[in-house]
Amino acid sequence: EAQVTQNPRYLITVTGKKLTVTCSQNMNHEYMSWYRQDPGLGLRQIYYSMNVEVTDKGDVPEGYKVSRKEKRNFPLILESPSPNQTSLYFCASSFLSTMNTEAFFGQGTRLTVV
Amino acid sequence: SQQGEEDPQALSIQEGENATMNCSYKTSINNLQWYRQNSGRGLVHLILIRSNEREKHSGRLRVTLDTSKKSSSLLITASRAADTASYFCATYTGNQFYFGTGTSLTVIP
């Protein structure tokens, strides 16, 4: 089954404690991205990757890191989480075609930083 | 920000009625997509319309695109209670996706 898998689904952590949210896709997509969703603000792109070892900042990259060592995996790293990073996070992947960029989303990770 | 905006923010209709939601965006686009999100879950792709298309249909969905006005609309015909969800438009431009703020649709049985 074609899918994007995020883990964990829920996470409560303390300020400053490094964490990683994993994302994996099985569709051989070149493009992968991370979003955060906050009430009234919609989805905002944090980082994206167009292929292995190629990553770029989205609209809200501060406080986040990513890596793309393999095509299928795109982990999101919070080196020193802060309460303003409490949010619902989504990973998504798609093929790299300007005419057909349907994105497939993971089920989300609800992060609370206390 | 190049983020789009949906209108209205919330919409409540009776089952069987049609639901129309609108999206405005700010820059030139390659395509525009509509997604659906059930409460707190991942977004699901509904339909994609390319910048050289004006209208597209998929089942009970009809999407229009007016690139001169930088706007799109999504029409859901004969709505069902199961259509209750949030709907987002998204544009893909400059290697990035830009999502609107969403329309929350409630269909009352």
Side-chain angles (χ1 to χ4, degrees):
Chain A
E1 180 190 353
Q3 59 184 4
V4 177
T5 304
Q6 285 179 238
N7 280 298
R9 292 288 310 280
Y10 301 91
L11 180 59
I12 300 174
T13 190
V14 296
T15 298
K17 185 177 181 181
K18 181 179 178 180
L19 67 91
T20 299
V21 184
T22 63
C23 174
S24 180
Q25 51 94 5
N26 62 0
M27 294 166 280
N28 203 34
H29 287 161
E30 301 95 346
Y31 190 98
M32 297 187 74
S33 54
W34 276 101
Y35 304 85
R36 61 177 289 172
Q37 184 176 25
D38 302 289
L41 297 177
L43 279 84
R44 294 178 292 168
Q45 195 170 42
I46 302 171
Y47 269 94
Y48 65 96
S49 169
M50 298 181 72
N51 216 324
V52 176
E53 303 291 1
V54 179
T55 62
D56 277 294
K57 296 178 180 178
D59 287 339
V60 288
E62 294 77 20
Y64 304 95
K65 285 175 61 176
V66 293
S67 68
R68 188 93 181 271
K69 295 184 170 58
E70 304 165 284
K71 197 171 187 178
R72 62 183 293 124
N73 296 323
F74 191 46
L76 179 69
I77 302 156
L78 285 72
E79 294 268 1
S80 182
S82 62
N84 65 11
Q85 292 178 298
T86 292
S87 187
L88 179 58
Y89 291 86
F90 289 101
C91 177
S93 71
S94 66
F95 286 116
L96 252 187
S97 163
T98 56
M99 301 308 286
N100 186 22
T101 48
E102 171 190 349
F104 292 79
F105 280 79
Q107 287 301 299
T109 295
R110 189 169 292 280
L111 172 66
T112 302
V113 184
V114 298
Chain B
S1 170
Q2 298 183 50
Q3 195 172 36
E5 289 188 6
E6 280 92 345
D7 170 60
Q9 289 188 348
L11 180 60
S12 183
I13 59 174
Q14 295 289 328
E15 198 166 32
E17 294 181 339
N18 295 342
T20 300
M21 49 205 90
N22 305 296
C23 166
S24 60
Y25 57 92
K26 297 181 181 179
T27 66
S28 60
I29 59 172
N30 298 315
N31 63 58
L32 185 141
Q33 304 171 41
W34 284 90
Y35 290 81
R36 166 195 168 123
Q37 182 183 35
N38 289 89
S39 181
R41 300 179 68 83
L43 280 72
V44 175
H45 182 264
L46 294 175
I47 192 165
L48 178 152
I49 186 166
R50 300 187 174 116
S51 58
N52 61 351
E53 296 176 315
R54 292 296 168 259
E55 186 171 313
K56 199 162 183 180
H57 297 254
S58 176
R60 292 185 296 114
L61 305 179
R62 172 179 170 254
V63 170
T64 62
L65 178 64
D66 186 336
T67 53
S68 66
K69 295 181 179 178
K70 292 187 169 58
S71 68
S72 174
S73 67
L74 172 68
L75 168 68
I76 304 174
T77 61
S79 63
R80 305 166 181 168
D83 293 328
T84 294
S86 292
Y87 293 82
F88 294 86
C89 66
T91 57
Y92 181 72
T93 181
N95 300 325
Q96 284 191 248
F97 282 92
Y98 297 95
F99 284 84
T101 50
T103 291
S104 176
L105 173 65
T106 301
V107 181
I108 302 165

